[in-house]
Amino acid sequence: MGLPEHTSLAAVRDGRLEGFAVLRPARTGSRIGPLYAASPEVAHALVTGLAATAPGVPVILDVPDVNGSAVEVVERLGLKPVFACARMYTGPVPDIDLAGVYAASTIELG
């Protein structure tokens, strides 16, 4: 099953996956997420690569503010926050590689 309005990119170096991201339609513009990257440089390349596939369309990312590198990447791109949300857990905080998460799939799913 394909998703014709979605665009995916992967960053591969020396045969190793260094990052991946998906651009999909949103209510207004397009949304990037998930976005996972091994470094800020890879994240930057994925965001700019996906944004180039949607010229003239607003691009939205749900960036986890606990990842300072992710915040720096979107600030360097000139993106501005439009809202904030808090992630809350009923039990222990899951063991997630937050350093690699540059954009959540959705704020509802993480």
Side-chain angles (χ1 to χ4, degrees):
M1 167 194 258
L3 299 169
E5 295 180 8
H6 291 58
T7 302
S8 300
L9 288 179
V12 178
R13 182 178 299 153
D14 298 326
R16 291 189 54 219
L17 181 65
E18 294 284 319
F20 61 89
V22 177
L23 177 80
R24 63 187 188 284
R27 201 173 288 166
T28 303
S30 295
R31 184 174 298 276
I32 294 177
L35 168 54
Y36 181 85
S39 70
E41 295 76 24
V42 170
H44 185 276
L46 290 169
V47 170
T48 57
L50 286 172
T53 69
V57 175
V59 175
I60 304 153
L61 293 90
D62 294 323
V63 177
D65 65 357
V66 295
N67 181 345
S69 293
V71 173
E72 289 174 12
V73 167
V74 294
E75 286 175 347
R76 190 170 39 150
L77 290 167
L79 301 177
K80 304 285 184 218
V82 293
F83 78 95
C85 67
R87 184 173 302 270
M88 298 181 283
Y89 302 97
T90 58
V93 175
D95 184 22
I96 300 170
D97 177 17
L98 287 174
V101 178
Y102 284 78
S105 298
T106 70
I107 59 172
E108 293 85 6
L109 297 176

